[in-house]
Amino acid sequence: MAVNFFLASNGEQSCSLGKINLHSSYNPGKEAERFALNAEVQFVPKVILVTGPALSLCAPYLRKRFPKASLTCIRYCDEFSESNSKWDKVFKAGPSLSEELFNFYGEEKLSQCMFLSWKPSEKAFPKEFEVTWNQIRECVLKCRNVLSTRNWFAKRWTKNALRFSAFTLHPSYFECGTRDIVICSSGPSLKSSIPLLKKYRNRIFLAAVSSALAPLCHEDLIPDLCISTDGGYWAKLHISRCLKNHHIPLALPGEGSCFGSVLNEIPTVPLCYGDGPSEDILKNCGYHGMKALRNGSVSGTAAWLCLSMTTGRVFYCGLDLAYSPKSHPHTQPNELEKRDSLADSRFSTMETRISRCVLNTTSINLYNSWFSNADFRGRLYRLSDNFQFSNSLGSIRDVNFTEFERLTEDYGMKKDPVLHTENLEFNMEQRTKQLKSTVRENISSDEWIKNALPSESILLKRSLDEHREELKDKIQSGMEEFSKAILKAVIR
């Protein structure tokens, strides 16, 4: 059904869809002004998002009322594109909207977003309205989860960065090469690919995310690089033994977790996300590292890192992003599986434990959505031995080893990414002194507060004047406790 454009009684442009007026037939401008003035808000918005604003008549009034906010709209159809210039950003309704919103604004700005719906469009576009607001709910839920994770891990991440800077003795980086890279994740499809990866080992630079390291080393398939990003204690178990035994270089952000004895011995590539306390800590101790993309999954960070390390193709093995009820969630051996299996019994069986993982699909669905919506410019492929995946990953094309052989037949003319190890600017004593100084100098900075106390920081930005002093006192107290907690990592 086409949109009908007409002049309202006061001479302004209006429109309708079928029998539903999308704007007033008498005074569209006044209607739009009331919409902006009547929008109830009890915080200071950083972003204003309006769904289905039709002719965008409300945009100038919203901008007048909220001059510092970014104006965003979501279109239900293409007929109103002529008024898109009134908005700072325009999105289109669809199944990937949640990821697009999150990737564009991030959890902090979206936590300061005021969501509005142009009511006439709700009736005129009921299906688009329902899909859009379901996507908004999904996006808001993801924001809450990310902020909750940041609140929970803030101290641990910063402690990890302090330990990274105190114990890393062989900081390294990779010079970009031309050889095709295969990244191994630990999905069940990896198992059948390992014999073929052995066959074509001389054609590729082989990288492994932390959970795939043990299965590869168990089959004497030693990767050229391990990538780990997890800041939790159990992440260390995946990598420590294999890294030391085979002296495999490790790519790790400052906030990632690793035993100090491992950091002492192996080449370590600092991954830099470009924000947060860990960046200040590493930089002040002379670590340079490689630029990386922060992602909820190590697989996402690994994808972009490897794409930056070569001008060639990147293939991903074991990137299932879906659980099978008939198998372990990960290719074996797996260090966490070894630990968890100790508690298996007749009354709490392995099958029951695995089923819980299969049923809890929230995180895996988020990672699936991210990979499906990311634009890898045709350079990233999912590789397997004709594994029957239960999903597709957007623009990431599935290939088998027959096609892989054809695509990589020019391997003889390509060169590996080259690992360079740097000299440290400071000795251990100097670094420890520098770390303490860095903490004391930055503990009151906005960047550190934002990362250490993200929820409180956002509440302060959102708050009206009468609550600001109370929140400032709470943040000051919180940062004092934060400082005491993280300095324990370097105080001897």
Side-chain angles (χ1 to χ4, degrees), residues 199-215:
K199 177 181 178 181
Y200 296 109
R201 182 65 178 90
N202 65 326
R203 295 188 176 207
I204 58 171
F205 180 95
L206 183 62
V209 305
S210 50
S211 59
L213 187 59

Side-chain angles (χ1 to χ4, degrees), residues 69 87 152 276 279 444:
W87 305 93
W152 179 260
E279 299 295 302
S444 298

Side-chain angles (χ1 to χ4, degrees), residues 214-346:
L216 294 179
C217 291
H218 180 74
E219 297 291 339
D220 293 323
L221 185 60
I222 310 304
D224 300 299
L225 174 67
C226 175
I227 304 163
S228 181
T229 59
D230 198 328
Y233 172 79
W234 297 111
K236 304 175 186 179
L237 299 183
H238 282 310
I239 59 179
S240 57
R241 187 182 300 110
C242 293
L243 289 176
K244 292 181 73 173
N245 289 348
H246 301 285
H247 207 68
I248 302 167
L250 171 66
L252 184 77
E255 60 197 42
S257 182
C258 187
F259 290 112
S261 59
V262 177
L263 296 174
N264 280 171
E265 293 186 18
I266 64 170
T268 307
V269 179
L271 298 183
C272 301
Y273 294 139
D275 61 7
S278 62
E279 299 295 302
D280 294 325
I281 291 168
L282 267 64
K283 181 179 178 181
N284 288 348
C285 282
Y287 296 106
H288 302 108
M290 296 180 66
K291 185 177 180 181
L293 175 71
R294 188 191 301 277
N295 192 271
S297 164
V298 61
S299 296
T301 299
W304 284 114
L305 177 66
C306 288
L307 285 167
S308 73
M309 288 171 52
T310 182
T311 57
R313 302 176 186 86
V314 175
F315 299 88
Y316 230 128
C317 271
L319 191 66
D320 297 29
L321 297 179
Y323 289 139
S324 169
K326 298 180 180 180
S327 66
H328 289 285
H330 304 282
T331 295
Q332 302 302 301
N334 181 277
E335 294 298 325
L336 298 188
E337 169 64 23
K338 290 179 184 178
R339 182 204 62 168
D340 294 342
S341 66
L342 297 175
D344 291 343
S345 67
R346 287 187 303 159

